[in-house]
Amino acid sequence: MKPFFRRKQEERGEIPQIYQRKNIPQTLKTQIWLELKQTKEIPIKVNLSYIPFWNIVSVAVYNKLQKDTGSLGVRELGYYDNASYLQDVFFNGIKEFNPDEIMLTIVEDILNFYLKSLDIFSELIDKRKFILGIIDSVNYRFRESRVGYQYNIDSNCILPFDDEIIFKNAIEPAFNYLNISGYEKAKSSYKSAYEYFLDKKYDDCVRHTCLALESAIRTVLQKKGIALSEKDGLSKFIDLLFDNKVIPMEHSDFASGLKNVFKEIPKFKNKNSGHGLSEFDKRKTSEAKAKLVLNLAATLITFMAEID
C-alpha cells in the first residue's frame, strides 16, 4: 500500500512525467521485489497442507524462465531453492543476459501468474483487490523512480514509455484494444513500432506502425464482411473504412478531411523510411514525423475501439 502522502502526490500530478529506461536503480529493484513478495502471507492448500502462495509463484516463474532461456546458469550461481535462486537471478542476472532485462522478465512473469491464479486458487477469491493493488504498487514504484516501464493488465506485458501523458491517452488505449482476439499481428507490430520509436529507430518505427494499422483495419473490415483484395494496402483500407461508413461521421466534409489525414500515414513510410535517405537525414528529420505517425495510428485504433 502506498503511503498517504505518496497517493496525494500522485493525485496532484506531482510524480514526474518524463522517464528514462537506461538504468533500473538497485533501490527500485529492492522496492519492487518487496512488493511482489507480499503474497508470501497467503496460504494455499496443496494436498493436505498449506504453503505460501509466493512459493508456488517462485517455482512456476523459475521453471518458465529456465525453459525460456535454456539455462539459468546454475553452475555459475550455485544451487538454491527456487525462491532464493529466483531472487538471485532477479538482482544479478546471469552471464549471457542483461540483468535489467532479466529483472523485467521476472516481474512480468510473476504479475501474469498472479492474474491467472485469481481464477485457479479458491483461496484467492477474496484477494483480487489485494493482488491488483500489488500490480498498482509496482507500476507506482516505476513512475516514482522515473523509470519508463508499466505493466499493462489488458496486454499482460510490461510496456516501455518515456512520456506519461502520451502513453496514458493514446498508446495504452491502443494496446488495450489490440489485445482482443484476432488482433495479435497488429499488436505485435505496434509494440515493435513503439519500441523502435523509444530506441530512436524512426524509420523502423514508421514501417511497423503502418504494418500494425494495416493489420488492425484489415481485421475490422473482415469482421464487417467487407470484401478485400490481396493487392489492397493501408491506403485502400482507409478508403474502405470511411467509404463503407465503418467509421460513421455526421458531416461529410469532416469525414473527408479526417480520411485524408489518416491517408497521409502510408505516405510517411514511403517518404521517410524507404531507400535514398542517409542515416543522418533519418536521424535529423524523422523523429517528429515518426511520433506523429505513431500517435495518429493510436488515435485511429482507439477510435475504432469506441465504435466496434
Side-chain angles (χ1 to χ4, degrees), residues 26-53:
Q26 190 66 33
T27 52
L28 174 59
K29 291 182 180 180
T30 301
Q31 290 171 341
I32 289 178
W33 188 254
L34 293 175
E35 296 284 3
L36 295 174
K37 286 183 66 176
Q38 290 184 68
T39 56
K40 188 176 182 179
E41 305 303 322
I42 303 175
I44 301 294
K45 189 174 183 179
V46 178
N47 296 325
L48 298 177
S49 60
Y50 285 89
I51 62 175
F53 180 47

Side-chain angles (χ1 to χ4, degrees), residues 165-175 190 294-295 298-299 302:
I165 294 176
I166 294 174
F167 180 79
K168 288 293 184 184
N169 293 287
I171 304 298
E172 191 173 47
F175 273 115
Y190 194 73
L294 195 66
N295 289 322
T299 299
T302 304

Side-chain angles (χ1 to χ4, degrees), residues 193-246:
Y194 185 52
E195 290 173 344
Y196 279 130
F197 177 79
L198 294 175
D199 290 335
K200 303 186 186 304
K201 297 179 180 178
Y202 303 122
D203 52 336
D204 290 323
C205 167
V206 171
R207 182 165 56 87
H208 279 79
T209 300
C210 289
L211 289 174
L213 192 55
E214 182 177 316
S215 178
I217 297 177
R218 180 193 295 274
T219 301
V220 169
L221 294 175
Q222 289 174 336
K223 287 172 64 176
K224 299 292 183 181
I226 297 172
L228 305 177
S229 167
E230 290 295 326
K231 297 181 180 180
D232 291 343
L234 178 55
S235 182
K236 179 62 175 179
F237 286 166
I238 293 173
D239 279 336
L240 292 172
L241 201 63
F242 283 87
D243 294 348
N244 288 277
K245 301 188 184 307
V246 177

Side-chain angles (χ1 to χ4, degrees), residues 115-271:
L115 291 177
K116 292 178 182 177
S117 297
L118 290 173
D119 299 319
I120 297 174
F121 299 107
S122 60
E123 291 87 350
L124 297 179
I125 290 177
D126 62 344
K127 299 293 183 181
R128 178 174 293 272
K129 185 176 181 180
F130 176 70
I131 296 294
L132 295 180
I134 292 177
I135 295 174
D136 181 57
S137 294
V138 168
N139 282 336
Y140 174 82
R141 293 296 187 183
F142 277 122
R143 295 196 306 274
E144 183 185 39
S145 299
R146 304 188 187 190
V147 175
Y149 293 104
Q150 292 284 276
Y151 178 82
N152 182 272
I153 292 178
D154 294 304
S155 299
N156 300 121
C157 64
I158 290 178
L159 300 175
F161 74 101
D162 56 6
D163 187 302
E164 185 161 20
I165 294 176
I166 294 174
F167 180 79
K168 288 293 184 184
N169 293 287
I171 304 298
E172 191 173 47
F175 273 115
N176 292 345
Y177 177 58
L178 294 179
N179 195 51
I180 300 172
S181 177
Y183 293 90
E184 291 82 4
K185 183 178 179 181
K187 175 184 172 182
S188 176
S189 294
Y190 194 73
K191 184 178 181 183
S192 295
Y194 185 52
E195 290 173 344
Y196 279 130
F197 177 79
L198 294 175
D199 290 335
K200 303 186 186 304
K201 297 179 180 178
Y202 303 122
D203 52 336
D204 290 323
C205 167
V206 171
R207 182 165 56 87
H208 279 79
T209 300
C210 289
L211 289 174
L213 192 55
E214 182 177 316
S215 178
I217 297 177
R218 180 193 295 274
T219 301
V220 169
L221 294 175
Q222 289 174 336
K223 287 172 64 176
K224 299 292 183 181
I226 297 172
L228 305 177
S229 167
E230 290 295 326
K231 297 181 180 180
D232 291 343
L234 178 55
S235 182
K236 179 62 175 179
F237 286 166
I238 293 173
D239 279 336
L240 292 172
L241 201 63
F242 283 87
D243 294 348
N244 288 277
K245 301 188 184 307
V246 177
I247 294 183
M249 289 289 169
E250 294 181 3
H251 304 290
S252 59
D253 288 344
F254 180 72
S256 176
L258 189 61
K259 181 175 76 171
N260 289 334
V261 169
F262 286 124
K263 287 192 68 173
E264 289 297 311
I265 295 176
K267 295 180 183 179
F268 279 121
K269 181 185 71 169
N270 298 332
K271 292 178 181 178

Side-chain angles (χ1 to χ4, degrees), residues 92-127:
N92 301 319
I94 48 180
K95 287 185 177 180
E96 61 266 39
F97 293 98
N98 179 296
D100 284 356
E101 291 176 0
I102 281 284
M103 174 260 187
L104 291 170
T105 297
I106 293 174
V107 172
E108 185 175 277
D109 286 345
I110 288 175
L111 296 182
N112 283 342
F113 193 83
Y114 282 171
L115 291 177
K116 292 178 182 177
S117 297
L118 290 173
D119 299 319
I120 297 174
F121 299 107
S122 60
E123 291 87 350
L124 297 179
I125 290 177
D126 62 344
K127 299 293 183 181

Side-chain angles (χ1 to χ4, degrees), residues 45-93:
K45 189 174 183 179
V46 178
N47 296 325
L48 298 177
S49 60
Y50 285 89
I51 62 175
F53 180 47
W54 174 250
N55 288 18
I56 298 174
V57 175
S58 298
V59 171
V61 173
Y62 168 87
N63 290 339
K64 181 180 183 300
L65 191 61
Q66 187 177 42
K67 179 180 179 182
D68 291 346
T69 62
S71 168
L72 287 178
V74 175
R75 292 182 180 179
E76 290 84 355
L77 294 176
Y79 175 79
Y80 305 93
D81 64 87
N82 292 121
S84 298
Y85 186 61
L86 187 66
Q87 178 174 334
D88 203 353
V89 175
F90 181 91
F91 283 108
N92 301 319

